[in-house]
Amino acid sequence: MSTPSASLHRRTLVLPIAGMTCAACSARLENSLNRLDGVRASVNLAAGMARVEFDPAVASAAGIVEQVRGTGFSVPVQSLDLAIAGMTCAACSARLERVLNALPGVEARVNLATEKARLRYTPGLIDEDELVEAVTRAGFTATPITESGRAGEKARKAAEYRAELRVFAVAALLTLPLLAQMGPMLWSGVHEVAWMPGWLQWLLATPVQFWAGWRFHRGAWNSLRGGGANMDVLVSLGTSAAYFLSVGIWLLAPGGHLYFEAGAAIITLVRLGKLLEARARARTSSAIEQLLDLRPRVARVERDGGVVEIDADLTRIGDIVHARAGERVAVDGVVIDGVSSVDESLLTGESLPTRLEPGARVHAGTQNLDGLLRIRAESVGSHTQLMEIVRLTEAAQGSKAPIQKLADRISGVFVPIVVVLATLTFAGWWLTTGDFAGSLIPAVAVLVVACPCALGLATPTAVMVGLGRGARLGILVRSAEALERAEKLAVLAVDKTGTLTEGRMVLTALDPVRDLDADRLLRLAASLEQGSTHPLARAIDEAARARGLPPLPVAGFENVPGFGVRGHVDGRALRLGSPDWLAPNGDGDEAGDAIRAVLADDAGPLGHLSFADRLRPSSRAAVARLRALGIRVVMLTGDRPASAAAIAAEVGIDDFRAGVRPGDKAAAIARLKTGGGIVGMAGDGINDAPALASADVGFGMAGGSDIALETADITLMRADLDDVATAVELSRVVMARIRQNLFFAFFYNVLALPLAAAGLLSPVLAGAAMALSSVSVVTNSLRLKSWRPTADDR
């Protein structure tokens, strides 16, 4: 244990603990931690926390966390999103990512396009303040992002943009007279005697160099101090060389050629490029903003016998919320009163309104079109489906596609290579011409024309816009890596029930065999089943309601597990269940793909009822569309081979696996993967979750189980196989746009650097080219906003 003197320097950790289920767990963990030298621990089972004091001289936070894990428990990883200010190019984001990932227990992804960092960290090894401090030491500023801070972040960025615009306007006014004297020199790079005196050029250029250009000089210093080099270093070096060379010539060799206009023009043009880039990048996140704008600011809630308006964030689970015609729903919940249609297009991509009746689910952000709805709130505030879509999309937009790794590696060494190339350019020209000032100009052009920004923005901007567009279409992609895998999808396994079919039984035929008609048979069956929650009972009830047949009273209702139900209706003892129970010498339990039931009384069968899980109307067209994309569709079903073959033929599937039990789906996926190529799985049930996890790409259908949706790589907000084809098309167009961007970024630098080194680009033109290169990459990505899938009606 620690000595008294050491206790003066003891540290305290408060760790969240996962895995404790009883007092024995907490006692075991407490004893385990207290066995460590220099450690004194107390574990609170109710709070799920451990308070640990330790002497840093003999124990460490990492060792304590490892001791927790060794005892059989864990310290849950926590997440933190930071808004990052001060990044100017890919080298900045790559360096900050390296800095954060070097911290103990931290996994970080930094996105230049969104100017955000997404971190996962282990409490105890590091805390939020230390993470923010690490960003500050790297030369940037960080602000934690919270749900309530989103609007403030948008306002902050708008204010920053206006301030940047003012600085650019002043810089442009000061630079224009310098450029006006150049005339043909702008294009030729050949300097003649300027009509503007040196002192006036200096007076105009100095505010541009040190005031408008301060962001580049500060960024360069922060970058170099942090052990890296970014675009700011190139701009600062290039403009400072031109400025101080001109000052030297003006003071020491009056009458010589001055290059004040080069440095001023470079700073002004690069600032213009950054303004255009910021404006374009703001549009890449418009899909998220549009989703957030769906949230109503106020909710009309029943309180104390009346209806009052309150802040939507103050609603509680169980509140009765009103939604009038034309208003957006404020909560996720169940309709308890009222009939109306709602527009869910911005959540699911479904263009047709959805009709709602009492008992139907409704989601926050959807628009009530017709009558008044009374809704019992089940999810409110940040826990609604709308906010879950926002979180999923933002997380995916912040992820990195594997294709970006090459650009990241190049960005890490790009600036030092360019500095070396500029030095060699200067030396080569000086050795060849002997003109020091003239040799500096192509070197400045090399420094300024190089653009690591385009490399850094090529992938994340396309991912942001593409996934935002997907969210508008009801397609939620969990990561850029899943998007890249979906592009190469070769085989898609589909679960029959709930994917190709509607996932619910419907009554398809009534076959009376005694002295009653079809309506009488159905009414007796519905009356008997009104006490059951079985899927076939629901199908019978829906059919009876559709025919306007009210149920008769039932007495003595009894559920017979595994067989059916029985009771007394209209003075008759009735039984309804499987043919094996009621007509053992009759038909089997299935005929083709139909399920059959028998209604009987004491005298024998009264009639047969046939049920089927109907195919979705869109399934055949969806399969055809997937096949047109070059994807082999394989159906997995537990049906017998004959029934499976009939369904497969009806939807146009050539390959199917019959008799696949729910627990065998993952094994079926594993066998498909042995054939090579990317294998996907589309499903919606709890028993689909292992197969979705086993597949290279899992497509979870909305309306299915929560575990299936959590396991899926791509969630489809409409339970429609056609959206799988849309997701694949989206992945292909996004990846194509990424490759276009990367090609342009590489091609630009490969072409521009030799031209600048050869003296064929003036520094002013080099600055303009650099400023426009990143803007063109972002603009190309923005083309995805207008993309529409084939055969789309949305």
Side-chain angles (χ1 to χ4, degrees):
M1 300 297 291
S2 61
T3 64
S5 60
S7 66
L8 296 176
H9 306 287
R10 295 176 70 84
R11 284 185 57 195
T12 300
L13 294 178
V14 179
L15 301 176
I17 305 295
M20 296 190 299
T21 58
C22 62
C25 294
S26 58
R28 179 160 57 91
L29 177 58
E30 189 170 296
N31 291 335
S32 176
L33 291 173
N34 282 321
R35 283 198 295 268
L36 294 174
D37 289 340
V39 171
R40 184 166 63 245
S42 62
V43 180
N44 187 319
L45 174 64
M49 306 290 286
R51 181 180 178 85
V52 185
E53 294 183 10
F54 69 99
D55 181 357
V58 294
S60 67
I64 292 169
V65 171
E66 190 57 39
Q67 184 78 354
V68 172
R69 292 170 179 160
T71 311
F73 307 100
S74 64
V75 178
V77 173
Q78 296 187 1
S79 298
L80 175 66
D81 289 339
L82 297 176
I84 307 296
M87 294 192 298
T88 56
C89 68
C92 296
S93 57
R95 179 168 62 85
L96 179 57
E97 192 170 282
R98 287 196 301 272
V99 168
L100 292 173
N101 281 317
L103 298 173
V106 175
E107 178 186 332
R109 291 288 180 270
V110 180
N111 192 312
L112 174 64
T114 59
E115 296 181 307
K116 293 177 182 176
R118 181 171 288 270
L119 303 98
R120 288 166 51 84
Y121 66 96
T122 303
L125 299 185
I126 199 165
D127 60 27
E128 185 175 309
D129 291 338
E130 291 172 316
L131 289 168
V132 172
E133 178 60 28
V135 174
T136 303
R137 288 197 305 271
F140 309 99
T141 57
T143 305
I145 299 174
T146 61
E147 294 291 342
S148 59
R150 292 179 187 272
E153 181 188 359
K154 186 177 179 180
R156 177 183 60 81
K157 286 189 174 182
E160 289 178 355
Y161 181 84
R162 290 192 295 270
E164 289 289 316
L165 184 61
R166 287 193 294 269
V167 175
F168 163 74
V170 175
L173 289 174
L174 295 172
T175 302
L176 283 174
L178 293 170
L179 292 177
Q181 68 170 340
M182 296 178 64
M185 293 188 296
L186 178 64
W187 301 102
S188 66
V190 178
H191 283 256
E192 305 295 341
V193 176
W195 54 265
M196 189 178 293
W199 66 267
L200 184 54
Q201 293 187 50
W202 172 82
L203 194 64
L204 291 171
T206 298
V208 178
Q209 177 69 27
F210 296 106
W211 177 64
W214 177 246
R215 62 169 286 181
F216 304 114
H217 307 313
R218 182 186 59 213
W221 167 249
N222 288 334
S223 177
L224 293 172
R225 186 184 61 180
N230 61 359
M231 182 208 76
D232 293 330
V233 172
L234 300 179
V235 174
S236 182
L237 279 176
T239 58
S240 297
Y243 177 83
F244 288 110
L245 172 65
S246 300
V247 170
I249 294 174
W250 171 47
L251 295 177
L252 303 177
H257 299 298
L258 303 179
Y259 302 95
F260 284 118
E261 83 288 337
I266 289 168
I267 288 174
T268 303
L269 288 170
V270 173
R271 272 195 168 274
L272 173 62
K274 288 297 177 185
L275 277 174
L276 295 175
E277 179 186 318
R279 191 177 185 86
R281 278 161 57 176
R283 292 175 58 200
T284 64
S285 58
S286 62
I288 294 294
E289 293 174 0
Q290 288 171 345
L291 286 173
L292 289 172
D293 287 342
L294 294 180
R295 296 188 303 172
R297 299 292 178 259
V298 297
R300 303 179 71 249
V301 181
E302 292 184 5
R303 294 281 168 85
D304 301 324
V307 178
V308 297
E309 286 192 354
I310 65 171
D311 189 314
D313 290 333
L314 299 180
T315 53
R316 302 188 298 263
I317 294 175
D319 277 345
I320 305 302
V321 180
H322 286 211
R324 295 178 296 191
E327 293 181 340
R328 292 201 176 273
V329 179
V331 297
D332 286 0
V334 175
V335 176
I336 60 173
D337 187 31
V339 176
S340 182
S341 296
V342 297
D343 179 3
E344 299 180 329
S345 58
L346 289 179
L347 281 183
T348 67
E350 176 58 68
S351 59
L352 296 177
T354 302
R355 183 170 175 80
L356 297 182
E357 296 177 345
R361 292 194 57 80
V362 65
H363 297 287
T366 56
Q367 186 170 23
N368 183 20
L369 300 178
D370 303 323
L372 174 68
L373 292 176
R374 295 176 66 237
I375 302 160
R376 179 182 292 109
E378 293 187 344
S379 297
V380 299
S382 62
H383 301 289
T384 61
Q385 179 177 284
L386 172 64
M387 293 309 299
E388 180 64 17
I389 291 173
V390 169
R391 283 189 291 270
L392 280 173
T393 305
E394 283 188 330
Q397 289 179 335
S399 64
K400 287 192 176 183
I403 197 173
Q404 191 176 344
K405 292 178 181 178
L406 175 61
D408 287 346
R409 287 197 297 269
I410 293 175
S411 297
V413 298
F414 185 83
V415 173
I417 290 175
V418 170
V419 173
V420 171
L421 181 59
T423 303
L424 294 175
T425 299
F426 170 74
W429 276 89
W430 194 14
L431 290 173
T432 303
T433 64
D435 182 359
F436 179 86
S439 301
L440 198 60
I441 298 307
V444 170
V446 168
L447 289 171
V448 172
V449 80
C451 187
C453 305
L455 281 173
L457 293 170
T459 299
T461 53
V463 168
M464 281 184 64
V465 181
L467 297 191
R469 178 60 180 147
R472 292 290 304 276
L473 293 172
I475 297 169
L476 306 181
V477 184
R478 289 190 176 271
S479 69
E481 186 176 357
L483 193 76
E484 190 167 338
R485 289 198 303 269
E487 180 212 16
K488 303 170 184 175
L489 186 67
V491 179
L492 177 69
V494 296
D495 178 44
K496 186 204 76 172
T497 303
T499 305
L500 292 173
T501 66
E502 294 180 347
R504 64 185 184 91
M505 289 294 170
V506 293
L507 181 67
T508 57
L510 292 163
D511 184 19
V513 297
R514 296 247 307 269
D515 56 344
L516 70 169
D517 58 18
D519 281 355
R520 181 65 176 170
L521 173 65
L522 177 57
R523 189 179 187 190
L524 289 174
S527 301
L528 181 60
E529 287 280 21
Q530 62 185 295
S532 174
T533 59
H534 192 279
L536 297 187
R538 288 197 294 268
I540 292 171
D541 180 65
E542 289 175 3
R545 287 175 181 271
R547 296 195 184 195
L549 302 174
L552 299 167
V554 60
F557 175 83
E558 181 184 355
N559 183 34
V560 183
F563 294 99
V565 297
R566 58 189 171 196
H568 289 79
V569 177
D570 199 20
R572 306 169 75 167
L574 299 178
R575 291 181 294 167
L576 177 63
S578 68
D580 291 340
W581 180 37
L582 299 173
N585 298 320
D587 295 332
D589 197 41
E590 285 193 28
D593 61 345
I595 296 175
R596 306 197 71 184
V598 176
L599 179 67
D601 60 11
D602 292 337
L606 292 169
H608 296 87
L609 299 87
S610 298
F611 304 85
D613 184 5
R614 286 192 306 204
L615 288 172
R616 295 183 185 277
S618 61
S619 291
R620 184 173 182 84
V623 170
R625 190 172 163 208
L626 287 164
R627 295 179 64 175
L629 291 171
I631 297 169
R632 179 165 66 97
V633 182
V634 180
M635 183 182 75
L636 304 181
T637 177
D639 293 349
R640 294 182 304 215
S643 177
I647 296 171
E650 189 173 351
V651 295
I653 293 177
D654 299 326
D655 194 354
F656 62 89
R657 306 287 189 272
V660 179
R661 291 175 298 183
D664 296 335
K665 292 178 183 178
I669 294 295
R671 287 193 294 272
L672 289 172
K673 291 170 72 173
T674 60
I678 300 295
V679 176
M681 168 70 188
D684 69 339
I686 292 176
N687 54 38
D688 293 329
L692 289 170
S694 176
D696 297 310
V697 188
F699 297 88
M701 315 287 278
S705 67
D706 290 341
I707 188 171
L709 298 182
E710 290 170 4
T711 308
D713 300 296
I714 299 175
T715 300
L716 310 175
M717 298 308 295
R718 295 195 310 169
D720 192 335
L721 188 62
D722 198 52
D723 278 357
V724 175
T726 298
V728 173
E729 286 186 354
L730 176 67
S731 68
R732 292 181 179 180
V733 73
V734 171
M735 295 308 300
R737 201 73 80 232
I738 289 173
R739 293 187 182 96
Q740 291 170 9
N741 288 346
L742 288 173
F743 172 79
F744 174 80
F746 284 118
F747 178 77
Y748 164 81
N749 284 291
V750 168
L751 179 66
L753 285 170
L755 289 176
L760 300 177
L761 274 180
S762 71
V764 175
L765 281 181
M770 190 270 276
L772 293 175
S773 62
S774 55
V775 176
S776 60
V777 164
V778 178
T779 302
N780 189 44
S781 295
L782 285 172
R783 291 168 53 207
L784 288 166
K785 288 171 67 73
S786 59
W787 174 80
R788 296 179 67 87
T790 59
D792 182 54
D793 59 354
R794 288 172 281 178

